[in-house]
């Protein structure tokens, strides 16, 4: 869409960048004066998209002004949002691309030009969900062959469709690629600048908010709508301001900070809202910290957690290898439109719906143990807590050591030297990163601590079993590139032992016999951070190293030294613990730059198998009629010309309350006795070859047969959980698909009766596509889950709602009636319609549309039909 098109009523806001007159932008900061200045930064991005995409139809001037008036309109109006781009992973990407291929077919069959069919919005598709593991298996050629069909389809799509880029297998996961490679922060199209924003079908899409990019996850049909040039309908959200103040404790790692913020946001109740961070404490968080917090949105229920672009962001982007000139233009643009945050206290702070204050200095680092991971112990209380455990009765925390034996010392000779073991002595110390791969700072902290300790002359006692088990080769890579890996070895032989689970699951080399004997002799409570080790603590990687140096957990780091240097000087933990500034500097200058350089080289080099994979280049996709993975769907067999009545419809399913998307949508493995299994068997496949519904989302024949195939489906016609229904004209009990197939052969339309909260659960496109292809024309329910209701409308199924206080039971309906309803051409949200039955009963329902865009889409037979007609 041309950002400077003539029909936009905000043309007067277009300006040029001061130091580069060739670059233009909408200066939304000049719209509304002080009203704009108090808007949260995330709302300013929504405003910019509305201003730039205002066409008087899908986005009206009134929509932009409602966003500008956010303070009074929040939670009261719906507004359109046009993201700058779309992110797909292959599970959800394949049905979307299949629909586009089918749309080309339909347009050609109706005499149109299929070359006109392209996504309107830039779309990136990463092949990572169903295919990534195939490239990790030993017999890669065989596995690549198994997926060849789908890969060829993706490659065809990347060749023939404008605005589609495919990230080939083996490159990276969708959310990581989004963060590390696809994010622009500021878009530049034909010298026009505007903020980057994204919707994606991956739940981790929210990570990019840590980079100052507005984005969140949506369902497959919403995503296709955006690809087709439609906006996302969004209730103007409340925005919770999260003010970070104070200085984090030097011992608090990034993981401590992230988990503490996540916990406090969950307790504050931010579900369904935007969260935006501000305050002097924000500058202490690295981009890795911010993206980790933003990625945790599902944990605390927020739509997104937004960190406006600031100096920390720009510094990070510089280290990723971004072009200096582009960075200068980016900074100038963001400052011009007031989307750049100065983290100092300002009189121009935005206003928020509510403010949550989090004092970073209150975040205390913890370890877990000594027996259960849920038992957390603050580092400041570690010594006193361990001593209390010695006193307590044997149980979840207690060891019941007699008071007179709690200070026992057991001398032991090891490798020619004498050592003294006592209660609390550390004998196993394992640095692992299985839970820390997403944020390199904690592993780096362990390495920097090791370097400082070695430079101070400290060493880990040789009898302690030490190990280093990175979660991936990338962790080893950034430990090596930052120069700290050798120090972990020098300090105490923290050597890389592999990339799998080790100490956590008991895979530890035996302790030296002398140490085992000493522990048993003194009945010591020894620790690992052996059947002879009774105390087990989980700690962050740098604390593991610290306790290994100390040689005991029975220590107060605030008052007692870690050790003594060669000159007899006491060395305390604070002397060798790396500061956050040191960590961030090493992280940005060595780790980030190295990682992005490697990723850039990988992208330029490409995947050999992908590069040599042959794929058609025809305008229309050459469908293979034998294929069981990819099939041309029947959505476009009959393009709707005008609003049609529903006449003499039978009830396919009579359902109760809380029917979830799991009940409706195909998911997981394909049961051997299901309709989908029968179809695949008839195609010559064995059960071993069925694969999953997820892998076959590009085949509508499989997915339609899987709709309502959940064994937990409770249909009142059946009276017990089963994926069955009754074909009412004949009285046969059949699989849902088989009954629907009979109805379609008889030319009988279908409806579904349901109770409250129809469509709860995760968003899935086939929860609407499946019922549509079964022949369902309407659902009549007491209430709907909002996102699912939008999907029904998007595919062309009418969401009708019983009047308040009414339902099928109250109205005396058995579900065996036939139902008819007509729709006026002047359909509008909330209109009341009369439903007539063949028994003479008439009752009213509400057409549950939220806005005029939804009624327009429904009147034209759903989004796919609506857009396909525009291509004719």
């Amino acid at each position: 869409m041309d950002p400077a098109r003539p029909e936009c009523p905000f043309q007067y806001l277009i300006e040029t960048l001061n130091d580069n007159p060739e670059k233009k932008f909408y200066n939304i900061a000049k719209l509304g004066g002080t009203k704009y200045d108090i808007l949260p930064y995330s709302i300013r991005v929504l405003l910019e998209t509305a201003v730039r995409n205002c066409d008087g139809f899908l986005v009206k001037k009134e929509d932009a002004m409602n966003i500008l008036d956010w303070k009074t309109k929040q939670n009261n109006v719906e507004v359109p949002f046009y993201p700058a781009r779309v992110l797909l992973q292959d599970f959800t990407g394949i049905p979307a691309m299949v629909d586009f291929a089918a749309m080309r077919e339909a347009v050609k069959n109706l005499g149109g030009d299929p070359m006109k069919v392209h996504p309107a919005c830039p779309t990136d598709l990463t092949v990572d969900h169903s295919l990534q593991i195939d490239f990790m298996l030993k017999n890669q050629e065989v596995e690549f062959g198994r997926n060849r069909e789908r890969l060829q389809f993706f490659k065809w799509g990347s060749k023939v469709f404008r605005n589609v880029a495919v990230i080939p297998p083996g490159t990276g996961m969708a959310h990581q690629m989004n963060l590390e490679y696809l994010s622009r922060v500021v878009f530049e199209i034909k010298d026009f600048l505007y903020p980057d924003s994204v919707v994606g079908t991956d739940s981790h899409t929210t990570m990019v908010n840590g980079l100052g990019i507005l984005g969140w996850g949506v369902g497959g049909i919403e995503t296709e709508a955006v690809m087709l040039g439609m906006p996302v309908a969004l209730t103007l959200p409340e925005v919770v301001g999260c003010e970070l103040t104070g200085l984090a404790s030097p011992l608090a790692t990034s993981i401590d900070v992230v988990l503490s913020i996540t916990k406090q946001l969950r307790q504050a109740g931010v579900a369904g809202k935007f969260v935006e961070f501000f305050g002097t404490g924000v500058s202490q968080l690295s981009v890795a910290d911010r993206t980790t917090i933003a990625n945790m949105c599902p944990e605390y229920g927020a739509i997104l957690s937004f960190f406006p672009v600031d100096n920390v962001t720009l510094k990070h982007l510089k280290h990723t290898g971004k072009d200096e000139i582009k960075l200068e233009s980016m900074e100038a643009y963001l400052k011009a439109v007031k989307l750049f945050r100065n983290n100092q206290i300002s009189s121009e702070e935005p206003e928020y719906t509510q403010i949550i204050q989090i004092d970073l200095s209150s975040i205390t680092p913890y370890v877990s143990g000594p027996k259960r991971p849920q038992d957390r112990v603050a580092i400041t209380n570690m010594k006193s807590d361990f001593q209390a455990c010695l006193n307590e009765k044997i149980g979840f925390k207690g060891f019941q050591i007699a008071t007179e034996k709690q200070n026992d010392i057991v001398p032991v000779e090891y490798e020619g030297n004498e050592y003294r073991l006592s209660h609390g002595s550390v004998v196993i110390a394992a640095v692992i990163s299985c839970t820390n791969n997403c944020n390199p700072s904690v592993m780096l902290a362990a390495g920097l601590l090791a370097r400082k300790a070695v430079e101070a002359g400290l060493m880990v006692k040789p009898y302690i079993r030490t190990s280093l088990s990175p979660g991936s080769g990338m962790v080893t890579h950034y430990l090596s590139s930052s120069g700290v890996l050798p120090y972990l070895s020098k300090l105490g032989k923290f050597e890389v032992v592999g990339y799998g689970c080790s100490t956590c699951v008991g895979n530890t080399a035996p302790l030296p016999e002398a140490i085992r004997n000493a522990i048993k002799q003194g009945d010591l409570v020894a620790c690992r951070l052996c059947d002879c080790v009774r105390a087990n603590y989980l700690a962050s990687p740098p604390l593991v190293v610290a306790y290994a140096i100390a040689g005991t957990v029975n220590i107060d780091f605030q008052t007692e030294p870690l050790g003594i240097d060669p000159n007899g000087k006491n060395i305390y933990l604070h002397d060798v613990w790396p500061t956050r500034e040191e960590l961030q500097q090493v992280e940005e200058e060595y780790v980030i730059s190295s990682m992005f350089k490697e990723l850039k080289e990988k992208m330029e080099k490409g995947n050999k198998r992908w590069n040599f994979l042959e794929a058609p280049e025809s305008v229309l996709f050459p469908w293979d009629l034998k294929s069981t993975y990819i099939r041309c769907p029947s959505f476009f067999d009959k393009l709707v010309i005008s609003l049609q009545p529903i006449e003499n419809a039978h009830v396919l399913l009579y359902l109760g309350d809380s029917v979830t998307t799991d009940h409706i949508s195909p998911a997981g493995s394909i049961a051997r006795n299901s309709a989908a299994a029968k179809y695949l068997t008839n195609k010559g496949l064995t059960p071993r070859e069925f694969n999953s519904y997820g892998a076959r989302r590009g085949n509508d024949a499989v997915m339609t047969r899987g709709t309502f195939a959940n064994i937990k489906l409770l249909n009142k016609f059946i009276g017990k959980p089963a994926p069955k229904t009754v074909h009412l004209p004949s009285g046969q009990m059949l699989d849902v698909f088989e009954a629907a197939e009979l109805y379609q052969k008889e030319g009988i339309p279908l409806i579904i009766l349901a109770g409250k909260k129809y469509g709860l659960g995760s968003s899935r496109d086939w929860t609407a596509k499946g019922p549509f292809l079964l022949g369902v024309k309407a659902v009549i329910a007491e209430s709907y889950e909002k996102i699912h209701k939008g999907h029904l409308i998007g595919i062309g199924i009418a969401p009708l709602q019983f009047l308040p206080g009414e339902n099928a039971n109250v109205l005396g309906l058995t579900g065996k009636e036939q139902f008819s309803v007509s729709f006026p051409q002047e359909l509008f949200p909330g209109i009341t319609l009369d439903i007539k039955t063949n028994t003479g009963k008439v009752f009213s329902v509400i057409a549950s549309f939220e806005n005029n865009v939804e009624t327009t889409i429904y009147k034209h037979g759903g989004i796919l039909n609506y857009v396909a007609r525009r291509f004719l």
Side-chain angles (χ1 to χ4, degrees):
M1 192 175 288
D2 180 8
R5 61 195 180 289
E7 66 268 24
C8 178
F10 296 103
Q11 290 273 326
Y12 66 93
L13 292 175
I14 294 178
E15 292 186 4
T16 58
L17 214 55
N18 287 339
D19 58 346
N20 194 336
E22 293 181 359
K23 299 189 186 301
K24 299 178 181 179
F25 63 97
Y26 281 97
N27 194 346
I28 51 171
K30 292 188 175 180
L31 184 66
T34 54
K35 269 190 177 181
Y36 180 84
D37 291 339
I38 64 170
L39 289 179
Y41 286 80
S42 51
I43 299 299
R44 297 178 195 185
V45 177
L46 286 182
L47 177 61
E48 195 282 338
T49 66
V51 165
R52 176 168 38 86
N53 291 286
C54 188
D55 59 1
F57 175 55
L58 293 174
V59 182
K60 298 181 174 66
K61 185 176 182 180
E62 178 189 1
D63 294 320
M65 301 316 289
N66 280 339
I67 298 172
L68 182 64
D69 199 20
W70 169 83
K71 187 176 179 180
T72 59
K73 296 291 179 67
Q74 57 183 291
N75 229 13
N76 290 321
V77 296
E78 280 215 345
V79 295
F81 170 56
Y82 267 108
R85 57 189 174 91
V86 165
L87 177 70
L88 301 172
Q89 37 86 348
D90 49 318
F91 260 17
T92 49
I94 200 162
M97 297 305 294
V98 165
D99 289 347
F100 269 90
M103 194 179 295
R104 281 197 163 193
E105 200 84 35
V107 168
K108 180 182 181 296
N109 291 340
L110 291 167
D113 181 4
M115 288 286 285
K116 291 182 179 179
V117 178
H118 296 279
C121 183
T123 300
D124 298 300
L125 189 155
T126 62
V127 184
D128 71 325
H129 271 54
S130 63
L131 301 169
Q132 180 77 16
I133 194 167
D134 295 339
F135 287 82
M136 297 162 60
L137 298 176
K138 291 180 180 178
N139 198 347
Q140 292 184 9
E141 292 294 344
V142 172
E143 292 303 318
F144 189 81
R146 180 169 71 85
N147 290 309
R148 182 177 297 275
E149 185 181 340
R150 284 170 286 170
L151 289 170
Q152 286 177 324
F153 177 73
F154 284 137
K155 193 162 187 179
W156 169 81
S158 69
K159 287 181 175 182
V160 303
F161 289 121
R162 290 195 302 269
N163 289 330
V164 172
V166 175
I167 309 299
T171 308
M173 292 180 288
H175 54 284
Q176 286 297 132
M177 293 304 299
N178 188 25
L179 188 67
E180 297 170 4
Y181 183 73
L182 302 173
S183 294
R184 281 81 154 176
V185 182
V186 171
F187 251 78
E188 183 177 332
I189 303 293
K190 296 179 181 178
D191 291 325
F192 212 99
L193 303 174
Y194 53 94
D196 189 3
S197 56
V198 61
V199 292
T201 53
D202 188 279
S203 60
H204 298 287
T205 304
T206 53
M207 282 181 78
V208 295
N209 290 279
L211 266 180
I213 298 170
L214 199 72
W216 64 91
V218 296
I221 290 179
E222 291 164 292
T223 307
E224 284 191 51
V226 174
M227 292 171 68
L228 290 163
M230 304 287 288
V232 174
L234 175 73
T235 299
L236 193 58
E238 297 180 16
V239 183
V240 176
C242 185
E243 183 179 13
L244 302 182
T245 60
L247 293 173
S249 162
L251 298 183
T253 66
S254 291
I255 300 300
D256 292 322
V257 173
V258 167
L259 293 180
S260 179
I261 290 173
T262 298
K263 179 182 178 182
Q264 293 187 57
L265 288 173
R266 188 190 301 119
Q267 292 171 342
V270 296
K273 303 173 184 178
F274 282 12
V275 174
E276 186 168 297
F277 289 85
F278 71 103
T280 55
V282 173
S283 60
Q284 295 181 56
L285 302 182
S286 68
V287 168
D289 296 337
R290 298 174 187 194
T291 55
T292 307
I293 292 168
N295 189 39
M296 299 289 277
C297 278
E299 295 295 321
Y300 45 87
I303 298 173
L304 56 86
S305 283
F306 192 71
F307 289 85
V309 176
D310 60 7
N311 287 322
V312 173
T313 318
L314 291 181
K315 187 177 178 181
H316 169 82
L317 293 172
K318 183 178 180 180
H319 287 130
T320 64
K322 293 282 185 186
D323 181 83
E324 290 277 359
I325 296 175
K326 286 188 176 181
L327 282 175
E328 289 174 5
S329 295
M330 179 191 300
E331 183 177 0
Y333 165 71
L334 292 171
K335 287 181 175 177
V337 294
K338 298 184 179 179
L339 284 173
F340 188 89
R341 173 178 281 287
N342 181 346
N343 284 322
Q344 302 304 313
I345 297 174
S346 169
S347 59
E348 295 185 356
E349 285 292 347
E351 294 186 6
Y352 295 101
T353 309
Q354 69 179 98
I355 291 177
I356 300 168
Q357 291 183 320
I358 298 178
D359 183 355
L360 297 179
S361 65
S362 68
I363 296 174
T364 305
Y366 286 85
V367 298
S368 295
K371 297 185 179 183
R372 303 187 305 174
Q374 62 264 45
D375 295 326
R376 302 173 72 209
V377 184
I379 294 301
T380 50
N381 300 331
M382 184 65 170
K383 183 171 183 175
S384 58
D385 186 84
F386 179 74
Q387 290 172 344
C389 289
L390 295 180
N391 283 315
E392 285 185 29
K393 291 181 179 180
I394 292 176
F396 290 134
K397 291 198 71 171
F399 297 103
Q400 201 170 354
I401 302 297
T403 305
E404 65 272 16
K405 291 188 175 184
Q406 290 180 13
N407 296 316
D408 283 0
I409 301 293
V410 179
V412 60
E413 187 173 313
Y414 181 72
E415 294 184 347
N417 293 306
E418 187 175 291
Y419 300 95
R420 294 155 61 87
L421 297 185
S422 60
H423 293 293
S425 287
V426 173
V427 293
I428 299 174
V431 175
I432 60 174
S433 73
C434 53
T435 57
N436 299 306
N437 290 339
C438 63
N439 192 322
S441 63
V442 284
M443 292 297 282
L444 280 176
L448 289 173
L449 175 60
R451 186 178 73 185
K452 286 189 165 190
V454 169
E455 290 171 347
L458 300 183
M459 296 287 286
V460 173
K461 294 176 178 64
Y463 62 79
I464 297 176
R465 277 278 181 253
T466 56
S467 61
L468 174 60
S469 180
S472 70
M474 179 56 72
V475 180
T476 304
H477 173 78
Y478 62 65
L479 289 174
S480 178
S481 64
S482 60
V484 299
L485 195 58
Y487 289 97
L488 284 162
S489 178
K490 289 178 184 177
L491 178 69
K493 294 185 179 180
F494 282 101
E495 309 278 6
V496 176
V497 295
Y499 299 103
C501 295
S502 54
T503 307
C504 299
V505 294
N507 295 338
T508 302
L511 289 174
E513 187 175 352
I515 303 302
R516 292 169 61 89
N517 290 339
I519 293 172
K520 290 179 178 179
Q521 176 190 335
D523 191 28
L524 299 179
V525 178
C527 304
R528 72 169 188 178
L529 282 163
C530 341
D531 58 354
C532 63
V533 178
R534 285 191 275 172
N536 299 278
Y537 286 97
L538 296 175
S540 66
L543 282 174
V544 171
V545 174
Y547 279 112
I549 296 170
T552 181
V553 298
N554 196 14
I555 182 174
D556 182 346
F557 283 137
Q558 294 176 302
T559 60
E560 298 176 64
L562 274 182
I564 301 172
D565 73 7
N567 298 319
K569 179 185 176 185
N570 285 340
I571 304 296
Y572 291 86
L573 183 59
H574 63 77
D575 294 322
V576 294
W577 189 272
T579 65
R580 292 186 70 82
E581 291 76 16
E582 287 176 305
L583 270 174
Q584 290 179 14
Q585 183 178 352
V586 172
E587 185 179 323
E588 291 288 348
E589 291 184 6
Y590 294 96
V591 180
I592 300 299
S593 59
S594 176
M595 287 171 61
F596 277 82
K597 182 181 178 182
E598 185 175 307
L599 177 61
K600 187 177 180 182
E601 289 173 354
K602 182 186 285 189
M603 292 301 298
E604 290 173 352
K605 186 178 179 181
N607 180 297
K608 276 188 179 181
R609 291 186 179 84
W610 175 263
N611 293 341
F612 289 109
L613 179 69
E614 293 183 1
E617 297 186 16
S618 51
V619 173
L620 301 177
F621 183 70
W623 306 100
D624 181 358
L625 298 180
K626 296 178 181 178
S627 173
T628 57
Y629 279 104
I630 298 171
R631 210 178 86 116
C632 185
S634 56
F635 298 124
F636 306 101
D637 286 357
K638 293 180 181 179
L639 291 183
V640 176
I641 304 302
S642 60
L643 203 55
Q644 301 293 318
I646 300 172
E647 296 179 340
N648 298 315
H650 269 300
V651 175
L652 177 64
L653 295 163
Y654 185 4
L655 306 171
D657 296 339
S658 302
V659 174
T660 71
T661 52
D662 283 334
H663 292 118
I664 305 168
S665 173
S669 59
I670 297 171
R672 295 189 178 196
N673 61 348
S674 64
K678 294 173 189 175
Y679 167 82
L680 293 172
T681 300
N682 290 336
K683 289 285 186 178
L685 273 65
T686 63
R688 188 178 180 182
E689 298 170 306
F690 286 172
N691 214 324
S692 65
Y693 283 113
R696 296 191 180 275
R697 287 171 101 164
N699 186 324
D700 65 307
V702 172
M703 300 304 285
T704 307
R705 284 165 172 80
T707 304
F708 294 113
N710 191 317
I711 60 172
K712 296 180 181 179
L713 181 74
L714 185 57
N715 179 5
K716 293 184 181 181
F717 288 155
I718 305 300
K720 62 180 181 180
K724 303 283 184 180
T725 195
V726 175
H727 176 251
L728 295 172
S730 67
Q732 298 179 78
M733 186 172 73
L734 302 167
D735 286 338
V736 175
F737 171 79
E738 292 170 344
E741 191 175 38
L742 268 182
Y743 281 123
Q744 292 201 48
K745 287 178 181 177
E746 296 161 349
I748 298 174
L750 299 170
I751 66 168
I752 291 172
L753 293 179
K756 299 182 181 73
K757 299 179 181 179
Y758 181 77
L760 281 173
S762 60
S763 174
R764 298 177 189 162
D765 53 343
W766 276 101
T767 56
K769 287 180 176 178
F772 177 82
L773 292 178
L774 288 176
V776 174
K777 304 298 181 184
V779 177
I780 308 175
E782 289 184 69
S783 62
Y784 293 88
E785 198 281 329
K786 186 177 179 181
I787 292 176
H788 178 66
K789 183 175 70 173
H791 287 175
L792 293 176
I793 296 165
I795 202 64
I797 295 175
L800 306 178
Q801 193 165 330
F802 290 108
L803 296 179
E806 294 185 353
N807 56 37
N809 189 50
V810 169
L811 293 170
L813 300 174
T814 65
K816 297 180 180 179
E817 303 86 353
Q818 287 183 272
F819 297 78
S820 299
V821 60
S822 295
F823 300 91
Q825 289 301 316
E826 295 301 317
L827 192 63
F828 58 85
I831 189 174
T832 300
L833 305 172
D834 287 335
I835 293 187
K836 301 175 182 178
T837 69
N838 63 335
T839 61
K841 185 182 290 292
V842 179
F843 62 96
S844 296
V845 294
I846 298 167
S848 190
F849 301 104
E850 299 286 338
N851 50 54
N852 289 325
V853 172
E854 289 189 348
T855 58
T856 300
I857 289 170
Y858 176 73
K859 282 165 63 176
H860 290 86
I863 290 168
L864 297 176
N865 273 276
Y866 175 60
V867 177
R869 288 180 58 198
R870 288 167 59 187
F871 286 126
L872 295 175

